Amino acid sequence: MISLKNGDGITWPGGKRIALMVTFDYDLELLRECVYQKKLGFADVSRGLYGTSEGLDRCLDVLEKNEVKGTFFIPGAIAEKYPEDVKKIDAAGHEIGYHGWMPETSLDLTKEQETVNMEKAERTLMELTGKKPVGARGWRNITYAYTPTLLRERGYRYSSIMKDCDWAYAYPKEPSIIELPTEHTMDDYTYFFFSFDHPQHRANYPVDYVFEIWKDTLDELASEGDKVMVLKLHPQFIGRSSRAVMLNRFLTYAREQGAWIATCEEVAAYVQKYNGQKV
C-alpha cells in the first residue's frame, strides 16, 4: 500500500481516518441533453427520468439504512420542475447545493450572467426548503476565475469540482471558500453512462468492478490520514437496483474502515475551523 504524506495534516473528528462525502448531481434528463447538445427522443429522455421515478427513492433508502446524510447538487430548473423531489430530499435531512440553473457549457459565462443564474436557483431552493445553499458544484466541471470570489460574495462556504488533489483546501485568494475535490473514478457517470453512439460507444461496467475501485481508493486515502473522498453520483445511474445494493455495501465497508461520512457542508465547516476561521 502506497502511503503518501502530502496533505495538510488535518485530523478528522473522533480519530476518523478519512472524510467521505456522498454527493448526488440531481440533473435527471438534463444530463443527457447537455452531453448531446440537442433535443432527445422521449425514450432517451426517460433514462434521466428514472432518477425521479425510482432512483431517488432507492438512493434515499440506502442513505437512511446507513444513517448517512448526503449532499444533493440540484439545478434550479430541475428544482422548479420537480419541487416534490426537492422537498423529499430536504425532509430527509440531506444538504442541497447549487448546481447552476440550466445546463451551462459556455466557458465564457460572465460573472454577471452567473450571478443571475445563482439568484434564480437560490430563490427557487429557498422557496422549497427555506434554506439558501452554502455549497456549489459547476455544471460539467466548469468553473471560472471569478467563481471563488462570487461564492464568497454570496455567502457560500465551499465548492466541490476540482481534481487537483485528495485533500480539502482553502482558495489562496478567497480563504473563506473551501474546495472539496473529487475525481472521475469516483463518479458513477464514468461507469454507468451507456451509449450506442459511434465512435463514443460506452458499455456499463460490472458493479463489483466499481466497488473494488472505490474500496481501493478509500483504503489508500484512509492510510494517508488527512484526505477526503467525494463520491459523485446520479440517481438515474446509481439508483438502479444492483448499483444501489453496491452503494449500500460500500457505505457499510467505509464505516467499518473508520470513515467519517458527512455532508459537504459539515466537512467544509470543520476544515474552516481547522484553518482558524470563524464558522
Side-chain angles (χ1 to χ4, degrees):
M1 183 175 290
I2 300 172
S3 184
L4 299 176
K5 296 297 180 183
N6 57 354
D8 62 2
I10 193 171
T11 56
W12 300 114
K16 296 296 185 180
R17 302 174 63 216
I18 186 172
L20 171 65
M21 286 145 278
V22 186
T23 74
F24 299 83
D25 287 3
Y26 199 61
D27 38 35
L28 304 178
E29 68 269 25
L30 293 185
L31 175 61
R32 294 187 71 85
E33 289 186 3
C34 180
V35 169
Y36 289 103
Q37 292 291 290
K38 63 180 181 181
K39 286 291 183 181
L40 302 175
F42 184 75
D44 208 352
V45 168
S46 71
R47 300 195 207 185
L49 294 177
Y50 186 88
T52 182
S53 66
E54 286 198 61
L56 176 60
D57 284 344
R58 201 169 276 131
C59 290
L60 293 176
D61 184 58
V62 169
L63 295 174
E64 183 179 7
K65 285 179 179 177
N66 287 275
E67 299 182 339
V68 165
K69 298 304 180 186
T71 299
F72 287 75
F73 295 98
I74 306 179
I78 288 290
E80 185 177 65
K81 187 175 181 180
Y82 303 101
E84 295 308 313
D85 288 2
V86 177
K87 292 177 182 178
K88 184 186 300 185
I89 293 166
D90 179 62
H94 303 293
E95 179 193 0
I96 294 176
Y98 172 72
H99 196 38
W101 176 257
M102 283 287 285
E104 182 56 69
T105 58
S106 172
L107 298 177
D108 301 314
L109 197 71
T110 67
K111 184 178 179 182
E112 291 71 25
Q113 289 171 319
E114 177 64 348
T115 298
V116 171
N117 287 339
M118 295 184 83
E119 288 174 345
K120 288 199 300 181
E122 290 165 4
R123 184 166 55 249
T124 300
L125 293 174
M126 279 283 292
E127 290 171 354
L128 294 172
T129 69
K131 290 174 283 197
K132 181 185 173 205
V134 298
R137 173 174 288 158
W139 186 271
R140 293 202 75 191
N141 301 309
I142 293 176
T143 190
Y144 307 94
Y146 58 75
T147 296
T149 298
L150 180 58
L151 293 179
R152 188 258 304 160
E153 290 173 349
R154 299 197 65 78
Y156 282 67
R157 176 165 279 166
Y158 72 87
S159 165
S160 181
I161 190 171
M162 303 301 283
K163 315 289 186 291
D164 48 355
C165 64
D166 296 314
W167 66 88
Y169 62 86
Y171 279 87
K173 295 183 179 180
E174 294 290 354
S176 67
I177 302 299
I178 303 300
E179 177 62 34
L180 303 171
T182 182
E183 201 267 325
H184 290 301
T185 60
M186 303 177 209
D187 188 336
D188 62 356
Y189 177 96
T190 302
Y191 310 103
F192 302 133
F193 181 84
F194 182 86
S195 174
F196 284 116
D197 285 4
H198 182 78
Q200 298 175 329
H201 178 84
R202 293 166 58 104
N204 290 167
Y205 288 79
V207 292
D208 288 343
Y209 178 90
V210 180
F211 175 84
E212 289 299 321
I213 290 176
W214 290 353
K215 172 181 174 294
D216 290 348
T217 300
L218 180 86
D219 290 344
E220 293 291 347
L221 294 178
S223 75
E224 298 173 18
D226 56 0
K227 300 303 192 296
V228 300
M229 180 175 179
V230 182
L231 287 181
K232 183 180 175 185
L233 310 173
H234 303 74
Q236 64 266 42
F237 298 148
I238 200 68
R240 295 281 176 176
S241 56
S242 62
R243 299 169 194 165
V245 170
M246 183 269 288
L247 177 61
N248 180 72
R249 183 159 55 114
F250 176 75
L251 294 179
T252 300
Y253 179 81
R255 180 176 286 107
E256 291 172 348
Q257 297 304 307
W260 175 39
I261 309 176
T263 66
C264 291
E265 180 179 6
E266 290 173 318
V267 175
Y270 185 87
V271 174
Q272 287 176 321
K273 188 175 180 180
Y274 175 81
N275 290 344
Q277 300 173 17
K278 293 183 68 174
V279 177

